[in-house]
Amino acid sequence: MDERRVEVLVAGAGPVGLTVAHELARRGVRVRVVDRAAGPATSSRATANHARTLEAYHQMGVLDEILPRGRKAENFSIHQGGRMLIRFGTDYSRLPTRFPFTLQVDQVIVESVLRDRLAGLGVPVEWSAELCDLEQRPDGVAVGLRHADGTREECTVPWLVGADGAHSTVRQRLGLALRGDSSETWLVADAVVDADLPADSLHWLHADGGPVLLVPFPERGKWRLLDTAPLDRDTSPEAVAARFAERISPALGHRVHVEEPTWLSVFTIQQRKIDRMRAGRCFVAGDAAHVHSPASGQGMNTGVQDAVNLGWKLAQVVRGHAREELLDSYDAERVPVGAALLTSTKKATSLIALRNAAAALLLPAGLGLLGLLKPLKRRVERKLLKGMSGLALEYSASPLTAHDARAGGVRAGHRVAFSAELAANCPGWRELHELSADPRWILLAFAPTSTDRRAALDHVARRYSDTIAVRAVAERTEEADPSAWADPGGALRAGLGVAPGDFVLIRPDGYLACRGALVDTPQLSAVLRRAHLVPSAAVGVR
């Protein structure tokens, strides 16, 4: 590829690198993607795609290709001594979403969908191209690439994204220290298990020596098996199959047959992170920035969210739609997420690997009582969901967030969240659901009927057409112009917590940046400056 045409080089073609490349390319940025591997991964790794990630897939426009190829998991069951002690469900009433479930689908499928989409945007993945060196310069990054035939390529790109995994060359060359510790060693394998278990649930089995976790695959009878017990020396497929059968059978109360795994891995749990994710014109994302326990399936999900956050910001800067200061918010928003993630996954690891000698006696009684106390059980379900789904993540402390004194509705820095039922039954919410795939910011103006309000709305629409999708919203048809959204009864306005004549500004990733009065021109201008947005070239202002 002609290096003069490349605006961003992405190192790493896993789900994180592919996501950031997709978000850049669909916004018109010229991207190059390289990976040291000889070709796409064929073995399964991550499988859990939580609700917030599914929302991101919708915004990216790829959900319809991923959803039919997965299996919905909506429960968590605990077994011991041949009994199912409890079955936790999912309660999304406090965290509304259009996708109230975890989708179990192979990471290789997600990567395949994203690669195909990128190819359609004119961005093929370059395999056997290893980034081996980099040097930052004032106007770009000098990069050394090593190809399969041993030849070395030198090129300079304006921006570099390192999505090259836990052993990231980009992170190492930037001198970003991965701090933390390692703990116990676990065994994970993918195998067909002859056991009569509901496939809409994860299953935690209390077994001697340490629990076993079973996670469903879309394929009938196939499970991901995670063993927390100390390992034997023999990790051949035959020995691993026998080991799992021996450990699972007593917990389920009947003999279970486990086929030889199609994939297995022995790994030591790492809990590490870096203190910053940007260094000049270089960024790191996903496992290159934070590695942690696989407990609760957060790795790929957090990496995808890193990539979405970085992708829209970097695209706006590259395209000249925002000032470079916008990129500082990537560090400000995502570094705390990585830190919080280590805390939550440590807790999840401790729960999954529960080895307390008293657990065998206490579990049946404790969980039996919890099953009888329905309100308490729902509280536990909501707590589990809050930590796992990604829906509780918010950016209240972000430099892009402007707080207001309005009570109720969506608070600044939080997701603009709504259920599928609300989107289906309320025209305003349905319009917002459809518009959420637009790569721009969204400015909604409610009942902008006065001359001043209409002038303010037209001013923003004209000056920021490349950056902001502007929509008027009217509760009564007589107020509406032909382009306005209908919001009968004010369901959308009330849900957002604003009054007639107000506006809301929603970020490209679906978080509320600000609410205010449309006629308060200084406030609206201040909000747009806070977001570092630049007026469109068409109005002759830079």
Side-chain angles (χ1 to χ4, degrees):
M1 182 178 291
D2 182 353
E3 68 176 80
R4 292 169 298 179
R5 290 182 51 81
V6 175
E7 294 170 311
V8 180
L9 174 66
V10 177
V16 179
L18 293 172
T19 296
V20 72
H22 179 274
E23 292 304 273
L24 290 165
R26 79 180 181 113
R27 291 174 167 87
V29 176
R30 297 188 294 273
V31 188
R32 183 181 182 184
V33 182
V34 298
D35 195 292
R36 66 168 69 95
T42 57
S43 60
S44 175
R45 286 164 288 170
T47 61
N49 294 261
H50 296 309
R52 178 57 192 152
T53 303
L54 299 179
E55 292 180 349
Y57 291 159
H58 165 73
Q59 292 168 336
M60 294 165 64
V62 300
L63 181 63
D64 289 346
E65 297 177 54
I66 295 173
L67 194 58
R69 303 169 74 175
R71 181 190 292 275
K72 296 179 182 180
E74 301 173 283
N75 302 283
F76 184 84
S77 306
I78 298 178
H79 305 256
Q80 180 186 10
R83 295 171 53 203
M84 186 178 75
L85 303 181
I86 199 167
R87 181 178 171 91
F88 291 109
T90 47
D91 181 357
Y92 285 88
S93 60
R94 305 286 178 88
L95 294 168
T97 176
R98 287 96 78 202
F99 313 107
F101 50 85
T102 291
L103 186 72
Q104 295 295 142
V105 59
D106 289 8
Q107 178 177 323
V108 294
I109 291 177
V110 174
E111 291 176 359
S112 175
V113 169
L114 292 174
R115 280 197 309 275
D116 289 347
R117 279 300 186 95
L118 270 176
L121 293 168
V123 184
V125 174
E126 300 176 47
W127 301 106
S128 299
E130 179 182 5
L131 187 149
C132 52
D133 206 358
L134 68 90
E135 178 188 349
Q136 294 225 53
R137 296 174 179 172
D139 59 347
V141 186
V143 174
L145 299 175
R146 184 183 298 114
H147 295 279
D149 60 3
T151 59
R152 184 180 172 97
E153 175 191 354
E154 306 288 344
C155 61
T156 299
V157 293
W159 303 94
L160 171 67
V161 177
D164 46 346
H167 302 289
S168 169
T169 300
V170 174
R171 184 190 67 234
Q172 293 170 13
R173 294 294 185 270
L174 292 173
L176 301 175
L178 197 61
R179 306 182 190 279
D181 53 36
S182 58
S183 54
E184 50 199 294
T185 299
W186 286 358
L187 168 68
V188 62
D190 297 344
V192 172
V193 180
D194 181 17
D196 186 19
L197 289 172
D200 65 346
S201 177
L202 280 67
H203 298 271
W204 185 91
L205 282 56
H206 189 269
D208 291 340
V212 175
L213 184 67
L214 278 70
V215 181
F217 274 92
E219 298 91 333
R220 184 177 179 84
K222 184 177 180 182
W223 297 84
R224 167 152 293 173
L225 310 173
L226 194 150
D227 190 349
T228 65
L231 298 176
D232 302 322
R233 291 186 177 181
D234 190 352
T235 55
S236 65
E238 181 181 5
V240 168
R243 172 191 173 98
F244 274 113
E246 181 179 350
R247 290 179 42 69
I248 292 172
S249 296
L252 294 182
H254 58 85
R255 189 64 190 168
V256 170
H257 174 70
V258 179
E259 295 186 7
E260 291 189 9
T262 56
W263 174 81
L264 64 88
S265 177
V266 177
F267 63 96
T268 300
I269 295 173
Q270 304 286 334
Q271 298 275 28
R272 305 179 189 274
K273 68 175 183 66
I274 59 178
D275 296 328
R276 57 193 179 105
M277 297 169 68
R278 179 191 181 189
R281 289 180 167 268
C282 300
F283 307 85
V284 288
D287 286 351
H290 38 74
V291 292
H292 40 80
S293 166
S296 72
Q298 295 300 309
M300 182 178 70
N301 291 271
T302 304
V304 167
Q305 296 303 320
D306 287 345
V308 169
N309 188 291
L310 175 60
W312 69 263
K313 294 173 181 176
L314 185 53
Q316 292 196 336
V317 171
V318 172
R319 296 295 308 280
H321 299 157
R323 296 183 297 277
E324 189 176 330
E325 290 89 340
L326 175 63
L327 299 174
D328 293 335
S329 67
Y330 175 61
D331 249 2
E333 293 178 354
R334 298 306 298 178
V335 170
V337 171
L341 183 65
L342 261 62
T343 300
S344 65
T345 54
K346 281 182 179 179
K347 292 178 180 178
T349 300
S350 298
L351 290 172
I352 288 177
L354 184 64
R355 296 197 183 98
N356 191 306
L361 298 175
L362 298 177
L363 273 176
L367 293 178
L369 179 61
L370 182 61
L372 295 173
L373 301 173
K374 300 301 182 183
L376 180 59
K377 181 172 179 283
R378 284 195 294 271
R379 286 181 61 187
V380 172
E381 289 172 342
R382 288 196 293 265
K383 187 174 182 62
L384 290 172
L385 190 65
K386 182 178 180 180
M388 183 178 65
S389 67
L391 299 174
L393 172 68
E394 42 87 9
Y395 296 128
S396 295
S398 169
L400 303 183
T401 300
H403 296 279
D404 64 87
R406 288 164 175 76
V410 181
R411 289 179 290 168
H414 289 247
R415 285 170 52 245
V416 178
F418 52 97
S419 66
E421 292 74 17
L422 190 61
N425 297 323
C426 300
W429 284 108
R430 183 165 58 249
E431 293 276 13
L432 183 57
H433 169 69
E434 294 174 359
L435 189 62
S436 63
D438 192 299
R440 296 173 292 175
W441 296 69
I442 297 172
L443 178 70
L444 302 182
F446 292 85
T449 53
S450 74
T451 302
D452 289 345
R453 291 172 184 165
R454 188 74 243 182
L457 187 64
D458 291 343
H459 177 76
V460 174
R462 184 175 64 256
R463 288 172 57 87
Y464 295 92
S465 59
D466 293 335
T467 315
I468 305 176
V470 178
R471 297 292 185 273
V473 185
E475 295 181 27
R476 297 189 298 273
T477 54
E478 60 268 23
E479 295 176 339
D481 61 43
S483 63
W485 289 357
D487 185 32
L492 176 60
R493 180 180 60 75
L496 293 171
V498 294
D502 281 353
F503 74 88
V504 296
L505 182 66
I506 303 171
R507 299 162 29 141
D509 52 7
Y511 290 85
L512 184 68
C514 183
R515 304 180 290 190
L518 188 59
V519 292
D520 189 348
T521 304
Q523 181 197 18
L524 182 55
S525 298
V527 166
L528 300 180
R529 287 196 302 272
R530 189 186 193 100
H532 306 292
L533 300 182
V534 174
S536 302
V539 299
V541 179
R542 278 290 179 187

